[in-house]
Amino acid sequence: MILVQRARMISFQHAKVTGLLKLGRNMAHGLRTNKTLAIGLFMILMIGLVALVGPLLVDPDDARIGAYPARLKPSAEHWMGTQQQGRDLLTVTMLAIPNSLKVGLIAGSVGLGIGIVFGLSAGYFGGRLDTIIKLASDTLIILPGIAILVLVAVSIRTMTVEMMALVVASFAWMYPTRTIRAQTLTLRERGYVQVAKMNGMTGIGIVVREIMPNLLPYIAAGFVGAVSGAMLATVGLEALGLGPQNQFTLGMEIYWARFYGAILRGMWWWWMPPVIIIGLVFVALLITSMGMDQIVNSRLRRST
Amino acid sequence: MTDPALQVENLRVYYHTRTGPVKAVDDVTFSLEKGERLGLVGESGSGKTTTALAIMGMIKPPAIIESGRVILNGRNLLQLSKEQYRRVRGNQIALIPQGAMNSLNPVMRVRSHIIDTIEAHRRIKRKEDISGQIQSLLAKVGLPSEVSGMYPHELSGGMKQRVTIAMGICLEPSVIVADEPTSALDVVVQMQVMATLEKAQQELNAAVILVGHDMGLMAQFCDRIGVMYAGKLVEIGSVEQIFEDPLHPYTQLLISSLPKFDKKGDFKGIPGLPPSAKNLPPGCTFNPRCPKVMDHCREVEPRFLEARPDRWTSCHLYEGAES
Amino acid sequence: MTSGYLLRRLGMLFLLIFVAVTINFMIPRLMPGDPVESALNQLVATGGGSVGDVQEIAEAYRERLGLNQPIWRQYLNYWGNIFTLELGTSLQFFPAEVSRIIWSALPWTLGLVGVTTILSFGFGIIMGALMAWPGSPRFLKSIVPGFLVVAAIPYFMIGLVLIFLFVLTYRIFPSGGGFTFGGNLGYNWETVWSILRHATLPALSIMLASIGTWALSMRGLLISTLGEDYITLAEARGLRPRRIFLWYGVRNSMLPQLTALAILLGHAISGAVLVEVIFSYPGLGFKLFEAIHGKDYFVVQGIVLFLAVSIAVAMFLMDLLYPLIDPRIRYQSR
């Protein structure tokens, strides 16, 4: 009896390891053949590079009020011109990009992290925990996040990048929770989970060691989705003027541009670059998520 | 000898991949008499379903019908235009799909399905005219009249299959192609569905091609059996002959691997695996696994010949028999 | 439709409203700072009066608004007020009532969101179906990536680009507002024309992105629906290709699309809010924006609550509609 169990467990372990290796190989193969994903990741890489290197290339003093004559068009001296308060826009933009990305990344990660914890717990342990989590996520996902976020943002005295991230994250966890919960429910019934249970593995052990590795593709896709949604909410809040007051972000630049009437005064060099950059970020995220979808779906198709 | 209901001649269906052609169906020839029941058996991947689909004209790229003829009522179907073939499908040849499939449109009632099928080929003046027809159709397949207003999710697996049979026979086709119609149904329901099919077919005197791999079912239902292996038809003969005196070594192994009721013994399988369709062995495709293999088999492909009266097979063992 | 289904949906609706109201109540009170005092301080800064006076006035207001009562009492009062539709008074436009402000802005937003949603959904579905139809011309398939790009970008950003193009560069459209003041206002064609002119760019901003989203999702859904078994059998029965595409493919894809419509309603409204801000379009979004920057708490609260409840009710209505379209849900209990 024990021998049979042991043999089964060994073969399942072997299957698991081969499974993980295959996953790695599949992803590498996917990257090579799946042009969509490759393009998306490339775009993200480029934007990330600008975000990291940009601030190092500019002098923050150039972005202070009154540093230069105001409302200058782009020229050799000021590649992106200056804005109403005399700040050099190239400097401002270079400083703003990493902040904007930071909010998106933090909010997306926190949202996804909560989603993973909630989704796994609800899916695996079921029962009352599941009912509570499911009800909570279903309810909150319907409420208009922006509206509630507006409420929160208005009530906060001073907004910082980190606070924004947390505020946005509080509405970013629902969708990952639902997807991961659904996947966990299916995986819970798989053979290797039953074997692990028979061998005395505890709930948490099973969740972490058996189920989570198989969720990696969904987690990766979920991360892209969470960051995307977080950035959408962030840019929205900032365009309303609810973003960080003392730090530069792309959304706030759009707000300030409108505040000072730049749009109607034709100061396109103030509001257009943030719009273009944000647009690029969204497109990059969308292409990446489409590429990931293709990989996840082809894996699904092959395994059935 | 009357004209056969269906004639398949030298049918080839290939998939063209970057690494070369995959011969899903390779030079298959057989004919089907009116009212005859032919069983097409073989392992998964042997090409039996592809043959059935090819007869229906439902082969889609990347698979292409390379060559061959499918003759129904004097016409070569493979030369028909898309619209002409559409008019044949469901009308002169009907398909009964696999039992496990999701074959009915979830948002349409049973009667809408039947009306749709009829309307595709005949002109219906008013819907009321055919409600009587629908009732008698349902009765023919053993379904109560309430079923007509039901949606597919309200029906059991067996009932759904009987609806597909009803759709198949409503235009009185001369050939019925049944592709594993009882797969995924439990045994009792299997018998009901097969009985329904039998009765319907007899009334129409339609010819049936039953594709599957349940030899027991074939033995009960079919008049003749064709055995397929790796895209080729390796043997064809009457049910009794196939079971009692199989000619081709593959058929022999197949029959001997069936459990028998009269004596207990060990399970015998067929050693080895079917070849990958991309990498077919030279000569006879069965030679790596054939217990009676000769050197000749590894070099030359055997021809499909009438080794005994009305019994065809492709095996070098019988090559001298035809005179 | 079973009574169980109805009860469950009603339960969900009440739960949503409860959560929305509670969140709406809690959040401003959880934050440090006092709305009344900060609003008054602002008035002082812009108008006149001294800080000392502010304290007294603030105390009086707090008493009047019931802000010095225990929290649970305030909560109950809040619920009571909601039932009588008394959402408070605007601090900016004192003494205008919040409900009145919402009521006056509502038709603008309703018109904008309503019309654009219906048009985008309609056109998007048709485009998506065409893109999935094997026989459609090649160029349709090639605009898919274009749609992708536009669909990914938030509505208001498209609005900015549109302003640049059609207001500044080519002076076709007005720059903002709901209609042109002055002139012959009233129930006449001139007013209607003015309204339409002002609404075009905001509507376009929303529609360009929305049509793309709907088209892409319809195309994806249709492609996967066309892979179903019943499509194969429909072909085998000799049904005409157009009938299969429309009645077995498109029709079955509509069901999940309608569910998506309900879920995306909230998203659409959020997007519209921002578009209104960009165009100074006098709808709820713009009023919300004004209220935010005027620290007009009650208006902000009122609008947020209104939006949340509307969306909950809209979802409920969609849920009621759904069994009528999908027989699988209608006949679940048979």
Side-chain angles (χ1 to χ4, degrees), chain B residues 207-264:
Chain B
V208 174
I209 300 181
L210 179 65
V211 176
H213 42 63
D214 184 345
M215 296 298 285
L217 205 62
M218 298 287 164
Q220 281 191 296
F221 183 79
C222 303
D223 304 318
R224 276 201 304 159
I225 293 189
V227 180
M228 287 194 69
Y229 181 79
K232 289 197 189 302
L233 190 61
V234 296
E235 183 168 356
I236 187 166
S238 79
V239 149
E240 297 83 15
Q241 290 162 339
I242 293 280
F243 272 84
E244 284 162 26
D245 180 30
L247 294 178
H248 194 281
Y250 177 63
T251 324
Q252 290 167 350
L253 287 173
L254 211 56
I255 302 295
S256 67
S257 71
L258 294 174
K260 298 189 196 351
F261 283 109
D262 42 347
K263 23 181 205 195
K264 279 199 193 283

Side-chain angles (χ1 to χ4, degrees), chain C residues 26-88:
Chain C
M26 298 296 303
I27 290 185
R29 287 174 197 173
L30 288 175
M31 300 296 162
D34 179 11
V36 175
E37 195 162 322
S38 58
L40 285 175
N41 279 327
Q42 206 161 319
L43 285 174
V44 163
T46 50
S50 65
V51 183
D53 289 338
V54 167
Q55 293 277 38
E56 279 182 47
I57 303 179
E59 213 25 72
Y61 263 113
R62 259 186 240 124
E63 180 127 4
R64 186 163 175 265
L65 296 168
L67 286 176
N68 51 2
Q69 289 180 352
I71 275 258
W72 60 269
R73 255 248 177 106
Q74 289 186 44
Y75 187 55
L76 289 174
N77 286 339
Y78 193 60
W79 270 105
N81 288 340
I82 290 187
F83 273 111
T84 54
L85 292 177
E86 196 195 301
L87 295 163

Side-chain angles (χ1 to χ4, degrees), chain A residues 208-253:
Chain A
V208 172
R209 307 230 318 254
E210 307 282 343
I211 297 190
M212 199 144 74
N214 286 287
L215 286 177
L216 283 177
Y218 299 96
I219 293 180
F223 182 64
V224 177
V227 171
S228 198
M231 291 226 62
L232 194 62
T234 310
V235 169
L237 283 178
E238 288 173 354
L240 287 177
L242 293 171
Q245 300 283 340
N246 301 322
Q247 291 154 291
F248 296 117
T249 62
L250 294 172
M252 283 304 276
E253 279 313 299

